[in-house]
Amino acid sequence: NKPVDNLFSFCYGIISPVIIISTSLVQSLTDKELEAVLLHEQSHLVSRDPIKVLIGKTFSTMFFFLPIFRDLHKNVEAVNELLADQWTIDRQQKTTFLRSALKKILATPQMNMSFAPNVAGPDYFEIRIHRLIQPGMKLPFKLSWISRITTVLFLVISWFMFQTPVSAFHM
């Protein structure tokens, strides 16, 4: 079995972010597609997205019992990806090269990149491709009903607990 050549790129680092790109990706893209990928990552670098990802993951992990933080984090990541795509389109004046680069990445089996905290998973490729095909499409802000209900229950229970006098717990 031939090992999978992973096609990936990401912006990584908090204090001085850098762009990481796999050799396989460089070799499989045309110059214009590579430019599109680098522009996309440049947007993450300029916008300091790695720190936003870290903060989002920290809150969603700290408050794991409130799924609303996970949903908010996912929405922020999706928006970051779409903004980086728009940055690329604004500079290249077309969607062609970014679309073809994404198509090549999706066509190649990938290993799990969850060890790299800044790599947006395959969840966002579908949203990005739809947006590249239909540029005016709005990204729906999604909060699951479970997130909403859990958050409301948590807030109600917390409010009642804070309303209970301390002396009532000692009785």
Side-chain angles (χ1 to χ4, degrees):
N1 287 342
K2 181 183 176 251
V4 175
D5 291 332
N6 285 292
L7 308 180
F8 64 86
S9 65
F10 56 93
C11 181
Y12 189 79
I14 303 300
I15 296 170
S16 3
V18 294
I19 295 171
I20 311 280
I21 187 164
S22 71
T23 306
S24 301
L25 184 60
V26 173
Q27 293 169 347
S28 67
L29 299 179
T30 66
D31 288 346
K32 284 302 222 176
E33 291 168 341
L34 182 58
E35 177 187 318
V37 168
L38 289 172
L39 283 168
H40 176 93
E41 297 305 333
Q42 180 187 40
S43 171
H44 290 306
L45 190 121
V46 169
S47 300
R48 309 293 273 177
D49 286 342
I51 190 78
K52 295 174 193 173
V53 169
L54 176 66
I55 291 168
K57 284 193 184 223
T58 301
F59 273 92
S60 65
T61 302
M62 281 175 38
F63 299 106
F64 64 91
F65 52 90
L66 288 174
I68 196 165
F69 284 103
R70 184 190 62 239
D71 288 353
L72 290 171
H73 173 62
K74 282 185 171 191
N75 279 293
V76 168
E77 279 189 334
V79 167
N80 286 345
E81 290 302 313
L82 293 176
L83 289 172
D85 286 348
Q86 191 58 52
W87 169 283
T88 303
I89 294 164
D90 290 347
R91 276 141 189 83
Q92 285 192 320
Q93 298 297 306
K94 55 175 69 176
T95 63
T96 312
F97 306 115
L98 186 56
R99 272 192 317 197
S100 59
L102 285 173
K103 196 185 246 184
K104 286 179 182 179
I105 293 167
L106 283 172
T108 306
Q110 304 292 313
M111 73 175 194
N112 184 353
M113 295 291 290
S114 61
F115 64 86
N118 292 24
V119 177
D123 310 348
Y124 305 114
F125 278 120
E126 186 178 338
I127 294 168
R128 293 173 64 193
I129 290 169
H130 282 299
R131 185 76 178 271
L132 290 169
I133 294 169
Q134 297 174 330
M137 183 186 92
K138 299 287 182 204
L139 174 68
F141 184 75
K142 294 180 184 176
L143 287 179
S144 70
W145 283 104
I146 291 173
S147 293
R148 296 174 192 191
I149 292 168
T150 307
T151 302
V152 168
L153 284 173
F154 178 79
L155 292 173
V156 168
I157 291 169
S158 297
W159 185 79
F160 277 113
M161 287 181 69
F162 285 124
Q163 297 300 313
T164 306
V166 175
S167 60
F169 283 112
H170 292 146
M171 291 183 176

